[in-house]
Structure formats: structure tokens, C-alpha cells
Amino acid sequence: MSTRSSSRAARTEHRCTECGWSTPRWVGRCGQCQAWGSLTEAAAGGPAATAHRSLGVPAPAAPLRPARRASEVVTGGTVRRTPTGLAEVDRVVGGGLVPGQVLLLAGEPGAGKSTLLLAVADAVAAAAGPGAVVLYVSAEESVEQIAVRARRTGARSEALLLADDTDLGAVLGHVEQLRTSGEHLALLVVDSVQTVSSAEVEGRPGGVSQVMAVASALTRLAKERSLPVCLVGQVTKETTVAGPRSLEHLVDTTLTLEGDRHSTLRLLRAVKNRYGPADEVACFEQTDTGLREVPDPSALFRGTRDAPVPGTCTTVTVEGRRALLAEVQALVSPTQAPVPRRAVSGLDTARTAMLTAVTERHAGVKLHQQELYAATVGGMRINDPGADLAVCLSIASAARQVPMPADVAAVGEVTLSGDVRPVPALAARIAEAVRLGHTRLLVPTGTAERLDARTRAAAQLEEVSSLSEAAVRVLPA
């Protein structure tokens, strides 16, 4: 072991935040209380600190800044935000980037994370004032490769600077060089946080210690300079952010970019947001020239046909705070197999199996000798219980070979007893359905009482209390 490594090991230790157990090296699981991911790096103390650790209590230390009364803290009033140049991104993050905000964008490989942040960097650079620049640092691609993508997507602002470095010191050096030269850094983008490493920290790039050291250093930089920082995060096979879970706690905002590999649709979802709503969703379409904003995504999720066909039903689902019109399709086919096949795409498999059983029991259809295929249109993924009624009616429509009327949309949660229950955001769902021409709506009992007079007048509401009643209304035997 080198002299620097041995001296660092003597100065630091890793301590469990749950029970106070300490060890010279980081391990994933506490050796005393068996808690996972609870060890944090701390300076090794003397006898007093050891005595406190034995009791699970840290040694007292003088605070760097004394506590202040809340009434005496002077703030700047409303938060000043920097628009990203993309309306959909601004809506997800709460209106723009806040000074000192650290944003983490995660997603599967090929989802378009780098393309989206490059577009944001170019838009911020184009809107920045004189003497302001945006720095995009990539630890995965060379400057030439980034420039190829920039030309393809139209990112050509003169205030956009590109760099390719994998060392944290070099990244911080770029920022310091811009400061000393008198240029104002409006935004820093680092792609990605798992591929940047520090020579002062042990461990491989992407390891727990390296990721936390890099993220902590960039977070301190953001807070000290009031600099918005955007980080790209890689994901694991389970679609969670790679690295320690505390990485998501460290940043201010966590966004995920989701999308099927075989579909051009991409959903930008806010998972955590200290400066805005944490349940917003934006839609993008991946094209040859980058990600294109989709301000009205309902058109992507609907089928277009001249006449209604059996096995289809329109519903209105809610993604974040946005109501989206979607079409659910089902196909029922006879089979001689002893175990009929059930295939689902875009819907929750377990919930669809449950709704299939409910439909067979309460809608009067027989499916035990039928193969069943259920899917959504446009590659949309629906986990909203408000689509239950549409799933059941599409299955019943396919089984009976009776098409539903084209102007009908169904909204409601279906229980195991066949009851149709209300769901959140009914007013927004109904307004979206009416906007797109669906004036006849199957809704749970009591919906009209929750709507204002204008919404009630615009739609023809047919309240149903059970699945069997809904099937009788739109699927005559």
C-alpha cells in the first residue's frame, strides 16, 4: 500500500449510521446491525470519539455556522429560474432550473439522455447573456463525437463549450478556468456521474466511494457557485439508478427518461423534485434530429379508423398531472391447447389477469378455451386503475365480437366483486375526453356530483355501478 493510501486509511473510517459500528474500509453491510448501505465515511477520532461511538452517539463538534431564527433569515422572495428552452422539460422541473440545483437524469442506454441534455445545454447557451457560457463535459464520448450529435440535432450555439474528461479534478479545473477568465458559467452538464472518478479516492470508477465523492464534489460546487448542474445517471437491469441509493438523496431533482426500445415515444418523469412537483410527466418523440416535444401526446396513443371494431375501448389515464387519452385493445381467439395463452403488452400482467377473471365472471363471457391478447396503442404503459373498466370492456367486446360505439370512453376502477369505483382526477379526464370528441362517457356512480356545471353540460355522462351494467349499456348481447 502506498504512503498516501496508508495515511488516508489512518485518518478516516467508515461508520454505520444505525448503530455506530466502524470499520477502516467501506463494506456494503454493517457487521453489527446487518443494515445495508448504512456506512458513511468519517474522520477517525480520539478516545472521546471512540467512547461516544461505543454508545452509538457521535462526539460533539463545533458547528461551522450557528443556528439562525427563521424569522431573521433573509431570502430573495420568489425563486429565480433559468428556462431550459424546452417547454416540456420546464413543466416537469417546475418552471426552469434553480440556481444551485443539482439535477440527475437517469434512463436506459439509448433512451436519449445525452441528446436531451445537449438540447437543453444549447438552448440555455443561446438564451444566455453576453459573457455567459454553458459547459458540457462528457466522460463517455470524445469532443468530436459530441460535435457530430450536436450538428445532427442543431445544437450550434457559440456559447456552448464541449469537453471530454474522466477526472474530477479536470472537470473542476474547467469550471475554475472559466471563472478566472471572467466568463459566467450558466449551466454545467456532466455525462455521466458514474464514469467520472477522482484520483484522491480509492476504488474503481462507478464504485460506491467514487460515485459519492464525485456527486458530493459537484453538489458542493453547485451550492457554492449557485450553479445549476445536470448529471447523467446510468441505470441497472432493474431500471434503478446505478450506484448507491444515497446518490438520489444527494441531488435536488431526479428525472427518468423512459421508453420502449421499439417505440419512438419517450416519457420524462419527475421522481424527486425539491423545487417543483414530483409527479409531472412530459412526452417526447425520438426522431433523426433529436427528441421532439409532444405537447399533445393523446394523438399518439389512439387508434385511427373509419369504423369501430370489436376488442377496442378508449379510456383516459393520468400520467403525473396530465390526462392522456389511450386505447386498449384485446383479441380473443379459440384454441385447442389445454392451457390457453395469455399475452399482455403495455399493461400490468397481474392486474390484467385479475380483470380477465372479473370480466368472465361478471360480463357473461367464457374465456377458458380462448387465447387472450391485450395491448395498448403506441407503446404506452398503463398502470392506472382508472383504465380497468376499459380493459374489461375491450375483453368483453372481443369475446362477443361486438364493437363498442366510437364516441364512447370508459373510466373507472373495477374491483373483484365487479363494482366500478371512482378514481382521482375525474374532472381532468372528462375534459380531455370531451376535447378529443368523446362525448359519451361511462363513469362511476356519483361522478356528476364532483364536476362543475360546464363540464357536466359538455359531456353525456352515463354513470354505472358495476361492470355488468356497463356491458349492458355498450355491448348488447
Side-chain angles (χ1 to χ4, degrees):
M1 180 181 294
S2 64
T3 304
R4 185 180 64 182
S5 300
S6 60
S7 60
R8 181 166 57 249
R11 295 195 306 269
T12 61
E13 63 183 17
H14 293 80
R15 190 180 309 159
C16 178
T17 57
E18 301 292 335
C19 66
W21 180 77
S22 61
T23 178
R25 299 183 65 85
W26 185 91
V27 292
R29 190 175 190 179
C30 175
Q32 181 168 308
C33 67
Q34 304 301 311
W36 287 98
S38 61
L39 269 69
T40 58
E41 188 175 359
T50 304
H52 278 81
R53 287 197 301 270
S54 64
L55 299 176
V57 180
L64 298 179
R65 292 184 296 178
R68 302 163 62 187
R69 297 183 185 276
S71 59
E72 298 175 354
V73 179
V74 179
T75 62
T78 58
V79 179
R80 178 175 58 88
R81 294 181 180 269
T82 301
T84 63
L86 301 178
E88 291 294 292
V89 176
D90 285 341
R91 193 170 58 82
V92 171
V93 299
L97 299 176
V98 176
Q101 180 178 6
V102 180
L103 183 147
L104 175 65
L105 176 61
E108 295 182 355
K113 304 182 296 298
S114 301
T115 302
L116 178 62
L117 287 185
L118 185 61
V120 169
D122 179 67
V124 173
V133 296
V134 172
L135 177 61
Y136 186 104
V137 181
S138 176
E140 299 180 349
E141 299 176 290
S142 65
V143 170
E144 290 74 18
Q145 291 174 319
I146 306 172
V148 170
R149 181 188 295 112
R151 293 189 182 94
R152 177 172 57 85
T153 59
R156 300 183 179 182
S157 174
E158 293 295 330
L160 176 60
L161 306 180
L162 306 178
D164 51 355
D165 280 296
T166 60
D167 183 67
L168 175 62
V171 175
L172 299 178
H174 282 294
V175 176
E176 184 63 22
Q177 186 178 31
L178 292 174
R179 187 187 67 84
T180 55
S181 63
E183 293 182 292
H184 169 66
L185 185 58
L187 175 65
L188 172 64
V189 179
V190 178
D191 183 7
S192 66
V193 67
Q194 283 92 359
T195 52
V196 177
S197 60
S198 173
E200 301 299 323
V201 179
E202 293 182 349
R204 62 176 180 82
V208 173
S209 57
Q210 287 285 356
V211 171
M212 290 306 300
V214 172
S216 299
L218 294 176
T219 300
R220 287 195 303 270
L221 174 69
K223 306 306 179 184
E224 292 172 359
R225 305 280 181 87
S226 296
L227 169 67
V229 175
C230 295
L231 308 176
V232 175
Q234 301 172 357
V235 298
T236 62
K237 293 181 180 179
E238 292 77 20
T239 66
T240 58
V241 181
R245 190 69 180 179
S246 52
L247 174 61
E248 297 181 57
H249 296 284
L250 188 64
V251 300
D252 300 308
T253 304
T254 302
L255 307 181
T256 60
L257 191 61
E258 307 169 358
D260 194 316
R261 187 178 297 272
H262 305 289
S263 172
T264 60
L265 177 67
R266 297 292 183 266
L267 294 180
L268 182 67
R269 190 184 307 272
V271 178
K272 170 191 174 182
N273 194 356
R274 290 174 179 164
Y275 304 110
D279 55 356
E280 273 291 359
V281 173
C283 296
F284 295 87
E285 185 177 9
Q286 196 170 42
T287 65
D288 293 338
T289 57
L291 292 177
R292 182 179 66 86
E293 295 179 276
V294 183
D296 186 12
S298 292
L300 299 176
F301 305 132
R302 293 188 299 155
T304 55
R305 60 182 65 87
D306 297 331
V309 297
T312 63
C313 184
T314 302
T315 187
V316 184
T317 183
V318 172
E319 289 287 345
R321 299 185 178 183
R322 167 177 284 181
L324 301 176
L325 204 69
E327 183 177 289
V328 180
Q329 297 183 346
L331 174 65
V332 174
S333 177
T335 181
Q336 299 298 325
V339 180
R341 185 179 179 186
R342 303 284 191 262
V344 178
S345 175
L347 299 167
D348 182 77
T349 303
R351 191 166 188 86
T352 303
M354 182 195 74
L355 296 175
T356 301
V358 173
T359 303
E360 188 170 9
R361 179 67 178 271
H362 297 282
V365 297
K366 303 298 182 182
L367 301 172
H368 60 280
Q369 292 183 341
Q370 308 280 337
E371 290 187 345
L372 173 62
Y373 303 88
T376 57
V377 173
M380 185 180 187
R381 297 178 182 176
I382 299 180
N383 295 314
D384 181 15
D388 288 356
L389 184 57
V391 174
C392 293
L393 291 177
S394 65
I395 295 174
S397 172
R400 296 181 182 180
Q401 286 299 301
V402 177
M404 291 185 56
D407 61 341
V408 170
V411 177
E413 179 183 1
V414 178
T415 65
L416 290 175
S417 60
D419 298 329
V420 178
R421 294 178 54 82
V423 291
L426 275 171
R429 297 173 193 258
I430 293 173
E432 180 70 6
V434 171
R435 184 180 71 86
L436 296 172
H438 294 269
T439 57
R440 185 182 175 190
L441 303 174
L442 294 178
V443 294
T445 302
T447 299
E449 302 174 357
R450 307 182 181 189
L451 306 179
D452 55 36
R454 181 178 180 181
T455 305
R456 287 197 302 267
Q460 178 185 346
L461 302 180
E462 297 188 19
E463 298 185 349
V464 293
S465 59
S466 64
L467 174 60
S468 58
E469 181 182 354
V472 169
R473 295 281 186 95
V474 295
L475 297 173

